[in-house]
Amino acid sequence: MKYKIIPVTPFQQNCTLLWCEETKLAVIVDPGGEPAILSKTIEELGLKLVKVLLTHGHLDHVGAASKMARRYSVPIVGPHKDDAFLLETLLEQSARFGLEHSTPFVPDRWLDEGDTVKFGNVELLVRHTPGHTPGHVIFFSESTRLASVGDVLFAGGIGRTDFPRGDYQALISSIRNKLWPLGNDVQFIPGHGPMSTFGEERMTNPFVADRM
């Protein structure tokens, strides 16, 4: 599996293309906006988009999901159904954050703990990781030791929990009980900012390091 991070929107959200090297079939994780840029990248790489994947329902992660799904006639997969309330309020989120209007939608498939998502010869494992939002999920490739974690964990930080239905203790539990067991060697792509590894964060992250 290969990947390319494409920062979008004024929030510089890490939209990510993941694709199977053998088949060139691809998924796009958290297309938060700027669909023209995303489509151009897909075409330049010679990929065939087969799914839109969502980690959670905040606008900067889903703003272009419907447009990409319609353009490529592909399903929207994720997040967990507990984020339905966020997808129902996308117009209000648009007004609050001053981003391009995004109309409410319902994914073609909700995700839950232990589900898998497949494209080409790639399989991603789903973990339900509430805290930043109640329906947040992450995607993990065991074969390439790569995780797409949305806004659960950052290099040197963790997701905010002051949004509606955020839960600090649930977030810490998700990181320690859902992410750390995947392995210290796992590289992760956060929703914003640079990549890191779980091992590095266990040593240095001021919120969730093992010494805390």
Side-chain angles (χ1 to χ4, degrees):
M1 184 183 75
K2 300 190 75 173
Y3 67 90
K4 183 175 180 64
I5 299 170
I6 312 163
V8 294
T9 82
F11 292 97
Q12 289 294 283
Q13 186 270 321
N14 286 335
C15 174
T16 306
L17 272 172
L18 305 173
W19 68 92
C20 171
E21 293 183 76
E22 292 85 5
T23 65
K24 297 294 185 180
L25 298 182
V27 298
I28 194 164
V29 182
D30 289 357
E34 304 184 74
I37 293 174
L38 302 180
S39 294
K40 181 181 179 183
T41 304
I42 292 169
E43 291 156 12
E44 288 176 345
L45 292 170
L47 305 176
K48 180 180 180 181
L49 190 71
V50 294
K51 291 181 176 76
V52 172
L53 306 185
L54 303 178
T55 62
H56 65 291
H58 285 156
L59 178 64
D60 59 324
H61 290 253
V62 308
S66 292
K67 291 178 181 177
M68 296 299 289
R70 286 195 301 268
R71 174 163 186 166
Y72 293 95
S73 299
V74 300
I76 297 175
V77 178
H80 183 279
K81 61 186 176 182
D82 283 352
D83 268 14
F85 77 103
L86 288 169
L87 300 180
E88 293 165 358
T89 59
L90 287 176
L91 286 176
E92 291 90 332
Q93 290 189 59
S94 302
R96 186 182 313 129
F97 295 110
L99 295 178
E100 182 178 351
H101 281 195
S102 180
T103 56
F105 64 88
V106 177
D108 297 278
R109 175 188 169 194
W110 297 108
L111 292 172
D112 209 340
E113 177 77 16
D115 284 349
T116 58
V117 176
K118 298 179 181 179
F119 55 100
N121 300 321
V122 174
E123 180 176 271
L124 301 177
L125 180 65
V126 176
R127 289 282 183 259
H128 180 210
T129 51
H132 178 66
T133 68
H136 202 298
V137 299
I138 65 109
F139 301 98
F140 173 58
S141 169
E142 189 167 13
S143 61
T144 57
R145 313 299 293 161
L146 179 73
S148 182
V149 304
D151 285 356
V152 172
L153 179 70
F154 303 109
I158 59 173
R160 292 175 59 176
T161 55
D162 56 335
F163 293 124
R165 295 182 62 184
D167 185 324
Y168 178 81
Q169 291 303 325
L171 180 66
I172 298 301
S173 177
S174 289
I175 293 169
R176 289 183 168 152
N177 298 320
K178 298 292 183 70
L179 301 191
W180 290 173
L182 297 178
N184 289 344
D185 63 318
V186 173
Q187 285 189 299
F188 70 91
I189 302 171
H192 308 264
M195 293 176 64
S196 183
T197 66
F198 291 160
E200 177 68 18
E201 298 312 304
R202 292 185 72 169
M203 288 190 295
T204 64
N205 191 300
F207 299 93
V208 287
D210 290 350
R211 69 177 187 277
M212 301 302 292

